[in-house]
């Protein structure tokens, strides 16, 4: 068949990858470029021109007219400024297509209008983008045509990080340096780099675009601010892993093709728990590439959805009453020669290198649980975390039976003598084969779970960048590795010191281990008795990044300066207040201009009908209609009062100047006022004629796709 899709042929077609560079670059230039990418070395400026020329020629051959430095400012989305390849016309009026090494390496977007948290004044406009050559350039095909996108970092005129990528790259350097010190202690002299590998699972909702465009709340905020639950939700659990509907399948097919051309290893797709909810998961990438690819995934999801008459919702909680969306961040450490530091092997109780790595991770997560929790803090995630559908807002680690048993042996007896084996799973059906059973089960309620050879951090929100979570993981584990390496390098007896160190770390930090039900009330009480932090909201989480502990950590490894940390705290407070303000104003607009007029029309028609019946048939029993009119009018009154209260408190908060106080006011006062307005409105939706209700219902949105 001519329309058969050959994934191997299209994969990476739109990427300026190693294969393309080998074909197009002079041999000596390619060799230097490859060394830069593999060793993390600084780019040799002498080869920039040759690389830029080859990149331009390749892009133009594929229809590109413009290039852009593609970067990730603190706005939650990517940014870009397009420049064409044309130069000034010559004497004959013809243009030449040019792209220099300088244009490849450095860009200069206006930095004044991006969030900087006070690092830049409005009049200080200069900022720089710098090419991250470890993340390959790619071509994007859309209504603008074909654009060469060059992944870059973004910093201010003075060098402060204004983006997500710069601190990520710094943190990768930190964990690389310290992990290599640990490996050298165990006699590894061949590995040259240790790289964090990340595989982010992306959850999302798809709704019909025409219905979406009738909902101001979805358009302005990404979530429904009003909406009564339909008769059916997710309680039958029939959507999870169910057969993919034709319309959604067509979308997924096109999405995969787009991502494969961009070199994104989209591998797994399925229906998620809630109706209209789905998931896409890639194969693992190096952390900075995984971050870039996840941004591409989110952008491509939205773009492809519109082609199919759909809208992709990435908000963490677009619909109350059904599961929200997260982004499981699967993290591990791998050497350049293929060694996974988180692989326990068949006998983890004897694998001292793995046990040291595990102990360091337990220590890092326990000491810096607050930072890890903050890394997953965003406005939408407040609706999801701890809601018995996602991890609780308490950081703990699930190790599983096998590793927890090894930890128990080391802590109680001082040494581990055995590891629990998985065994064989018998199905009881003669025609089915016996299955190898893993040594431990999984725990979907754990925020940080060991799953065989990696840790799955399940708190990250679906709309959020995965960069902050990985910055924290890389940095806190670099610190734990450094502490261990410092002591072991000066030890007189390595084996004895190593054994004592592992036991000491496990005993001091085993409180972070929890294999039980993270959704239970009992766990909340137990976690508090253990002294684990329970940070319930984004506004409560933000202050942890400016503590003395956090500042010392990040400055020690050059990941953030004190000024950069305070600036990010200010950006997050400001973002929280702005987002809740938009939600509140949207509710005010929808309630005042849509819902209340619809209810008034309904009650007016109902009252007129009652009067007509009374006039035509005085003896008729109209008690039900009368009661309905009274009930509706009472709810309408409640709604009017709640609307006035929300309007007043929102106006008061808008006038506040202090960023932290303003964010707290929106959380403590505006959010409850929004809930108070929603309650009568959702009750009215269940009474008022569907033909009069001003926008599509939950049932329309999540079941009619």
């Amino acid at each position: 068949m001519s329309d058969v899709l050959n994934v191997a042929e299209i994969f990476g077609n739109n990427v300026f990858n190693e294969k393309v560079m080998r074909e197009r670059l002079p041999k000596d230039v390619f060799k230097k470029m490859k060394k830069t990418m593999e060793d993390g070395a600084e780019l040799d400026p002498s080869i920039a021109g040759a690389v830029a020329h080859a990149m331009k020629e390749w892009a133009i051959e594929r229809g590109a007219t413009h290039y852009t430095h593609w970067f990730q400012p603190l706005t939650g989305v990517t940014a870009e400024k397009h420049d064409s390849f044309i130069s000034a016309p010559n004497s004959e009026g013809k243009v030449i297509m040019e792209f220099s090494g300088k244009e490849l390496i450095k860009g200069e977007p206006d930095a004044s209008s991006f969030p900087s948290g006070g690092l830049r004044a409005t009049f200080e406009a200069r900022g720089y983008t710098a090419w991250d050559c470890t993340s390959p350039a790619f071509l994007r095909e859309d209504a603008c045509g074909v654009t060469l996108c060059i992944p870059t970092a973004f910093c201010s005129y003075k060098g402060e990080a204004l983006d997500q990528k710069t601190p990520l790259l710094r943190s990768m350097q930190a964990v690389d340096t310290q992990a290599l010190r640990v490996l050298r202690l165990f006699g590894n002299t061949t590995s040259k780099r240790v790289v964090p590998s990340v595989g982010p699972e992306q959850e999302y909702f798809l709704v019909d675009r025409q219905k979406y465009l009738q909902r101001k709340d979805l358009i302005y905020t990404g979530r429904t601010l009003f909406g009564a639950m339909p008769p059916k939700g997710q309680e039958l659990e029939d959507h999870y892993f169910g057969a993919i509907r034709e319309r959604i399948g067509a979308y997924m097919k096109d999405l995969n093709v787009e991502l494969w051309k961009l070199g994104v290893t989209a591998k797994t797709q399925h229906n998620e728990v809630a109706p209209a909810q789905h998931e896409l998961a890639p194969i693992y990438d190096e952390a900075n590439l995984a971050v870039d690819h996840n941004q591409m995934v989110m952008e491509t999801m939205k773009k492809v959805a519109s082609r199919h008459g759909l809208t992709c919702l990435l908000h963490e909680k677009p619909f109350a009453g059904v599961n929200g969306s997260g982004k499981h961040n699967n993290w591990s450490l791998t050497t350049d020669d293929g060694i996974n530091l988180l692989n326990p092997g068949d006998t983890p109780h004897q694998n001292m290198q793995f046990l040291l790595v595990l102990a360091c991770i337990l220590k890092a997560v326990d000491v810096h649980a607050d930072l890890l929790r903050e890394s997953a803090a965003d406005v939408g995630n407040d609706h999801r975390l701890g809601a018995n559908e996602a991890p609780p807002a308490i950081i703990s680690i699930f190790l599983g039976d096998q590793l927890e048993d090894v930890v128990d042996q080391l802590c109680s007896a001082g040494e581990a003598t055995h590891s629990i084996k998985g065994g064989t799973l018998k199905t009881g059906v003669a025609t089915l084969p016996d299955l190898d059973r893993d040594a431990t089960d999984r725990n979907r309620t754990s925020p940080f779970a060991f799953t065989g050879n990696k840790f799955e951090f399940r708190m990250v929100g679906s709309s959020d960048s995965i960069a902050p979570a990985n910055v924290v993981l890389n940095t806190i584990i670099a610190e734990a590795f450094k502490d261990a390496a410092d002591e072991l390098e000066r030890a007189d007896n390595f084996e004895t010191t190593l054994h004592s160190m592992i036991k000491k770390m496990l005993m001091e930090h085993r409180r972070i281990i929890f294999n039980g039900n993270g959704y239970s009330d009992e766990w909340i009480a137990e976690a508090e008795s253990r002294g684990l932090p329970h940070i319930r909201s984004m506004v409560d989480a933000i202050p942890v990044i400016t503590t003395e502990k956090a500042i010392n950590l990040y400055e020690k490894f050059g990941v953030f300066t004190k000024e950069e940390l305070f600036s990010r705290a200010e950006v997050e407070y400001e973002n929280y207040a702005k987002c809740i303000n938009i939600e509140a104003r949207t509710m005010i607009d929808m309630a005042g201009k849509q819902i209340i007029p619809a209810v008034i029309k309904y009650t007016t028609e109902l009252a007129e009908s009652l009067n007509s019946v009374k006039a035509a048939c005085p003896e008729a029993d109209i008690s039900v209609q009368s009661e309905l009119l009274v009930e509706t009018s009472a709810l309408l009154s409640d709604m009017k009062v709640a609307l006035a209260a929300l309007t007043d408190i929102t106006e008061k908060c808008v006038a506040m100047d202090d960023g932290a106080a303003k964010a707290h006011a929106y959380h403590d006062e505006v959010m409850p006022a929004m809930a108070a307005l929603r309650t009568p409105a959702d009750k009215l939706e269940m009474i008022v004629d569907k033909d009069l209700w001003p926008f599509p219902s939950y049932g329309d949105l999540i079941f009619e796709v």
Side-chain angles (χ1 to χ4, degrees):
M1 293 176 59
S2 59
D3 59 347
V4 171
L5 180 64
N6 189 324
V7 179
E9 286 186 3
I10 67 169
F11 188 83
N13 268 3
N14 286 353
V15 183
F16 192 74
N17 53 28
E18 184 177 324
K19 177 178 179 293
V20 176
M21 286 189 283
R22 182 183 289 108
E23 292 172 350
R24 291 177 172 267
L25 293 176
K27 187 174 292 186
D28 61 326
V29 174
F30 171 72
K31 193 173 181 179
K32 290 180 181 179
M33 190 67 205
K34 186 173 172 62
K35 182 176 177 58
T36 297
M37 294 187 296
E38 289 183 348
D39 298 344
E42 186 175 345
L43 178 70
D44 183 346
S46 67
I47 69 170
V51 175
H53 176 75
M55 192 182 291
K56 179 206 69 175
E57 293 297 305
W58 168 79
I60 290 175
E61 286 174 17
R62 292 174 172 271
T65 57
H66 289 70
Y67 69 91
T68 181
H69 276 199
W70 183 78
F71 59 102
Q72 300 167 37
L74 303 180
T75 56
V77 294
T78 58
E80 54 200 58
K81 179 187 73 171
H82 296 197
D83 288 296
S84 72
F85 290 114
I86 65 171
S87 62
N90 60 21
S91 58
E92 298 178 352
K94 293 186 176 181
V95 296
I96 301 173
M97 306 293 267
E98 292 184 337
F99 183 50
S100 68
K102 181 180 179 181
E103 290 170 319
L104 168 63
I105 292 175
K106 189 181 84 170
E108 203 173 305
D110 188 330
S112 63
S113 296
F114 289 107
S116 71
L119 285 177
R120 305 290 288 154
T122 302
F123 64 87
E124 295 176 315
R126 195 182 296 277
Y128 298 112
T129 50
W131 179 34
D132 172 19
C133 59
T134 62
S135 184
F138 59 94
L139 298 176
R140 188 173 58 206
E141 302 168 325
D142 54 24
C144 290
V146 180
T147 304
L148 173 65
C149 298
I150 303 160
T152 59
F154 178 46
C155 64
S156 75
Y157 179 69
K158 297 177 182 178
E160 299 106 336
L162 298 177
D163 65 344
Q164 303 285 16
K165 172 162 280 194
T166 302
L168 176 68
L169 294 172
R170 294 170 179 171
S171 74
M172 291 174 67
Q173 290 179 180
V175 76
D176 173 34
T177 300
Q178 302 306 323
L180 280 176
R181 291 179 65 195
V182 171
L183 289 180
R184 298 291 184 257
L185 287 164
F186 285 90
N188 182 331
T189 59
T190 56
S191 299
K192 297 178 181 178
R193 293 180 67 209
V194 177
V195 181
S197 296
V198 177
E201 304 166 23
Q202 179 71 55
E203 295 176 343
Y204 61 100
F205 280 81
L206 289 173
V207 297
D208 183 85
R209 183 158 184 81
Q210 290 304 312
K211 295 184 177 74
Y212 162 85
L213 292 172
Q214 297 175 56
R215 300 255 344 189
K216 292 182 181 180
D217 47 4
L218 286 179
I219 293 171
Y220 295 143
T221 75
R223 76 179 182 103
T224 51
L225 302 172
F226 297 102
M229 276 297 294
K232 177 187 176 184
Q234 65 187 51
E235 59 271 25
L236 292 180
E237 299 174 337
D238 54 340
H239 189 259
Y240 191 49
F241 279 28
I244 298 170
R245 285 167 287 179
E246 287 285 303
R247 187 179 186 187
I248 304 305
Y251 163 81
M252 288 180 171
K253 178 183 177 183
D254 283 357
L255 174 63
N256 285 332
V257 170
E258 291 286 331
L259 293 176
W260 289 333
K261 288 193 293 184
L262 292 170
V264 178
T265 53
K267 182 173 179 64
T268 303
Q269 60 189 31
H270 60 84
N271 290 344
E272 253 298 334
V273 173
Q277 187 185 33
H278 313 279
E279 180 178 298
L280 180 148
I283 299 173
Y284 294 74
D285 278 317
E286 293 187 9
N288 65 314
L289 193 56
V291 169
D292 286 357
H293 280 179
N294 185 246
Q295 293 296 143
M296 293 181 203
V297 166
M298 292 190 287
E299 292 174 1
T300 308
M301 281 179 166
K302 293 179 180 179
K303 178 178 72 173
V304 174
S306 64
R307 297 178 191 164
H308 289 261
L310 299 166
T311 293
C312 176
L313 303 177
L314 294 174
H315 194 283
E316 288 73 19
K317 194 72 172 178
F319 303 102
V322 298
N323 273 23
S325 296
K327 184 147 46 189
H328 300 175
N329 187 88
N330 295 280
W331 179 93
S332 63
L333 287 171
T334 308
T335 67
D336 59 315
D337 49 357
I339 302 170
N340 185 341
L341 273 60
L342 272 67
N343 185 355
D346 295 330
T347 55
H349 67 285
Q350 297 176 326
N351 189 339
M352 299 305 290
Q353 178 178 296
F354 168 77
L355 290 176
L356 177 61
V357 170
L358 178 65
C360 286
I361 291 173
L362 293 179
K363 173 185 175 181
V365 174
D366 186 23
V367 171
H368 297 292
D370 53 351
L371 282 177
L372 198 53
R373 164 66 180 91
E374 198 282 333
S375 74
D378 71 18
V379 183
N381 233 5
D382 276 4
H383 300 283
R384 172 180 164 263
L385 295 180
N388 287 358
E389 62 179 64
I394 305 167
I395 295 288
S396 65
I397 293 179
F398 169 81
L399 290 182
D401 295 337
Q402 184 188 61
L403 292 184
E404 187 174 32
D405 179 66
V406 172
V407 170
D408 288 342
Q409 291 179 61
L410 287 166
C411 290
S412 59
E415 61 178 334
T417 59
H418 64 274
S419 298
I420 296 173
K421 301 298 181 183
T424 302
L425 178 66
K426 296 183 180 296
T427 62
V429 180
T431 56
L432 296 179
D434 293 339
L435 304 174
D436 291 333
R437 182 172 62 188
D438 292 309
T440 189
D441 203 348
R442 291 189 177 182
N443 187 330
R444 68 183 300 272
T445 71
S446 175
F448 198 70
F450 186 74
T451 56
N453 60 2
K454 58 184 171 60
F455 277 97
E456 182 180 29
F457 183 44
R458 302 180 67 249
M459 292 179 105
V460 183
S462 52
S463 68
D464 208 2
S465 167
I466 60 171
N470 289 292
V471 168
V472 172
L473 283 171
N474 296 340
T475 310
I476 65 177
I477 290 164
E479 181 186 54
F481 283 167
K482 180 183 185 302
D483 292 344
D486 286 347
E487 184 175 344
L488 289 170
E489 285 172 352
R490 61 175 179 261
D492 294 328
N493 187 311
F494 175 76
E495 299 295 337
T496 301
T497 304
L498 173 64
H499 188 275
S500 299
M501 174 187 292
I502 291 172
K503 179 181 177 181
K504 181 173 183 288
M505 278 197 284
L506 293 177
M507 291 186 70
E508 289 179 353
H509 302 289
R510 67 186 303 186
R511 68 172 185 168
I512 200 71
I513 301 172
F514 180 65
N515 283 0
N517 181 9
Y519 292 167
S520 67
D521 293 335
E522 291 79 9
W523 166 235
I524 295 175
E526 182 183 337
E528 290 178 353
S529 71
R530 293 187 186 188
L532 301 179
H534 186 186
I535 303 173
R536 291 172 170 81
S537 70
M538 178 179 175
V539 292
D540 293 328
I542 295 171
V544 308
I545 65 175
T546 55
T547 62
E548 185 176 347
K549 181 185 73 167
I551 293 168
N552 290 339
L553 167 74
Y554 285 123
E555 289 195 330
K556 182 193 309 180
F557 294 101
V559 175
F560 287 114
T561 64
K562 179 179 180 179
E563 292 74 22
E564 287 171 337
L565 288 170
F566 273 90
S567 75
R568 284 173 193 250
E570 185 174 325
V571 168
E572 291 190 26
Y573 280 129
E574 187 177 274
N575 182 59
Y576 185 90
K578 286 179 177 178
C579 287
I580 302 301
N581 181 59
I582 291 170
E583 289 188 354
R585 290 169 58 196
T586 301
M587 287 193 83
I588 291 167
D589 186 79
M590 292 176 71
K593 295 180 180 178
Q594 292 183 288
I595 300 177
I596 288 177
V599 177
I600 290 174
K601 184 175 183 180
Y602 171 77
T603 53
T604 300
E605 291 180 0
L606 181 58
E608 290 173 348
S609 175
L610 281 170
N611 291 333
S612 297
V613 173
K614 282 181 183 179
C617 186
E619 67 278 9
D621 182 3
I622 55 173
S623 59
V624 173
Q625 296 95 314
S626 298
E627 290 172 5
L628 194 58
L629 181 58
V630 170
E631 180 186 3
T632 307
S633 297
L635 288 170
L636 181 60
S637 178
D638 292 344
M639 193 174 170
K640 188 71 170 65
V641 171
L643 175 59
L646 176 59
T647 302
D648 289 344
I649 191 62
T650 301
E651 289 177 355
K652 186 192 87 171
C653 290
V654 168
M656 297 176 68
D657 293 324
D658 182 84
K662 188 172 188 174
H664 277 282
Y666 272 101
H667 178 269
D668 299 340
E669 300 179 52
V670 174
M671 288 289 288
M674 290 168 61
L677 176 57
R678 177 170 185 160
T679 298
D682 288 357
K683 291 178 180 178
L684 284 165
E685 184 181 347
M686 302 301 292
I687 298 173
V688 174
D689 286 353
K690 182 174 177 59
D691 290 343
L692 293 178
W693 199 249
F695 39 76
S697 67
Y698 270 24
D700 298 332
L701 288 164
I702 64 178
F703 286 106
E704 299 179 13
V705 183

